[in-house]
């Protein structure tokens, strides 16, 4: 309820001191701070976007914050997920986030949902909150959050990041567009790499998450002009912002219920098609180690990762032929010239790119064996001195 009855909302002496810099802003004042205290916000995800968002919502004095996540804190999160710390690695992200929120502001009520958001639980989880903030990183959940917000008539504060670029807007607010006006159809599965595959500048989600927090506070206060109807695009390499206008599509399908969003995004179909493909020969990292220990005289072992990944760490006895070179044909010629009757083994970070490379090579008449789990499995099971990234 974005127009709450403030007659029962009070600030104590400690809160007057805590929020003093808000209280002297005419656009906020005592009434605005009471609105923040009376408000409830649900954050979907406690990753790169959710981290700064939650920190600043807590600091601003939002009275009730809900957090939905089912993941645990990992060392690779430390580069950008600033609500977590080294001491919370291995713990549930929602518990780590709650602890940090209460260190910043013990007045916040924090509700935890240790669950994967789904069509079965989304409406029940989201219904009690005034504003929903999408900090997710995958298309099925973004469509799910959008559709649930439409059905519940909740504003959806959206952000997304990839490599050096970010986006932010507000969906489903005061008659404005929703996510389906921006993306009527999801992209083919696997077309957009995840952050784990494509990487992300650690500072980037900090900026986009803070923009989401700003929009959330403005919605609660009822001040300023939100990003509804405007998609803000940020390029961190060029330090540039630009906007695209968004309008509701008058012929978009009416959202009447939640659906199977994995199916809508083509994920089961893609998995079934992949399963139907002829399977490539595979070997474990233990089998690869045995080959290397025996001298690997009959084998050509190719690493198809990118050069900057090769610099992080490599398996001894391998040669680098990046997947993009294989895709454009140059790498195919290189591998043909190096084979000379040897058997081909290929690996990448986790096995996906090397499988793709072997598929291309097979069309050129070159058979090969894929290393299951790639260099990540090698680091975990064979040689921990090879950095895991």
């Amino acid at each position: 309820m974005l127009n709450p009855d403030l007659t029962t909302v009070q600030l104590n002496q400690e809160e007057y001191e805590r929020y003093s810099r808000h209280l002297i802003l005419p656009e906020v004042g005592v009434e605005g701070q009471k609105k923040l205290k009376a408000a409830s916000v649900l954050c979907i995800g406690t990753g790169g976007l959710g981290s700064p968002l939650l920190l600043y919502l807590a600091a601003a004095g939002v009275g009730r914050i809900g957090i939905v996540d089912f993941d645990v804190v990992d060392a690779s999160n430390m580069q950008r997920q600033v609500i977590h710390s080294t001491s919370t690695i291995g713990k549930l992200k929602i518990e780590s986030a709650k602890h940090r929120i209460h260190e910043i502001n013990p007045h916040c009520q924090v509700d935890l949902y240790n669950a994967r958001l789904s069509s079965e639980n989304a409406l029940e989880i989201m219904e009690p909150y005034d504003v929903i903030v999408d900090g997710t990183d995958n298309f099925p959940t973004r469509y799910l959050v959008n559709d649930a917000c439409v059905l519940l008539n909740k504003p959806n504060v959206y952000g997304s990041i990839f490599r050096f670029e970010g986006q932010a807007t507000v969906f489903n607010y005061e008659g404005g567009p929703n996510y389906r006006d921006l993306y009527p159809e999801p992209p083919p599965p696997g077309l957009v790499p995840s952050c784990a595959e494509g990487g992300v500048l650690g500072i980037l989600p900090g900026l986009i998450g803070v923009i989401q927090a700003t929009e959330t506070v403005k919605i609660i206060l009822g001040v300023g002009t939100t990003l509804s109807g405007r998609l803000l695009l940020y390029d961190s390499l060029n330090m540039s912002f630009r906007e695209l206008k968004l309008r509701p599509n008058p012929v978009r399908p009416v959202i009447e219920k939640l659906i199977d969003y994995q199916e809508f995004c083509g994920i089961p179909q893609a998995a079934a098609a992949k399963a139907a493909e002829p399977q490539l020969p595979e070997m474990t990292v233990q089998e690869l180690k045995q080959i290397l220990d025996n001298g690997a005289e009959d084998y050509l072992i190719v690493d198809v990762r990118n050069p900057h990944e090769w610099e992080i760490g490599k398996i001894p006895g391998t040669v680098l032929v990046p997947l993009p070179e294989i895709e454009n044909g140059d790498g195919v010629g290189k591998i043909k010239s190096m084979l000379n009757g040897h058997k081909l083994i290929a690996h990448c970070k986790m096995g996906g790119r090397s499988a793709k490379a072997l598929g291309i090579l097979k069309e050129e008449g070159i058979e090969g064996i894929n290393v299951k789990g790639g260099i990540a499995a090698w680091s975990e099971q064979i040689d921990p001195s090879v950095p895991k990234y």
Side-chain angles (χ1 to χ4, degrees), residues 115-128:
R116 183 191 295 271
L117 198 71
S118 69
S119 297
E120 288 70 38
N121 63 22
L123 296 176
E124 180 181 358
I125 290 174
M126 293 165 62
E127 196 278 330

Side-chain angles (χ1 to χ4, degrees), residues 7-50:
T7 57
T8 60
V9 181
Q10 300 297 324
L11 302 177
N12 62 34
Q13 187 58 42
E14 194 275 336
E15 289 173 304
Y16 275 105
E17 183 176 356
R18 175 181 290 270
Y19 306 125
S20 62
R21 301 307 188 270
H22 270 177
L23 301 178
I24 59 178
L25 288 171
E27 295 84 357
V28 183
V30 173
E31 181 178 346
Q33 196 61 51
K34 287 182 177 181
K35 286 182 179 180
L36 289 167
K37 186 173 182 176
S40 57
V41 178
L42 182 70
C43 179
I44 315 295
T46 55
L49 295 171

Side-chain angles (χ1 to χ4, degrees), residues 84 95 196 348:
H84 310 300
E95 295 288 354
C348 60

Side-chain angles (χ1 to χ4, degrees), residues 2 39-46 49-50 53-54 57 62-69 94 101 109-118 121-136 141 144-145 148-149 152 154-158 212-213 216 220:
L2 291 175
S40 57
V41 178
L42 182 70
C43 179
I44 315 295
T46 55
L49 295 171
L53 167 78
L54 290 166
L57 292 183
V62 172
R64 181 184 180 190
I65 297 174
I67 311 172
V68 183
D69 207 317
I94 55 172
I101 287 170
Q109 174 185 331
V110 182
D111 308 329
L112 303 182
Y113 302 91
N114 180 27
R116 183 191 295 271
L117 198 71
S118 69
N121 63 22
L123 296 176
E124 180 181 358
I125 290 174
M126 293 165 62
E127 196 278 330
Y129 296 89
D130 300 320
V131 182
I132 311 300
V133 188
D134 185 349
T136 62
T141 310
L144 167 61
V145 171
C149 283
L152 294 169
K154 307 279 186 184
N156 173 11
V157 183
Y158 166 80
Q212 290 179 278
T216 301
I220 293 168

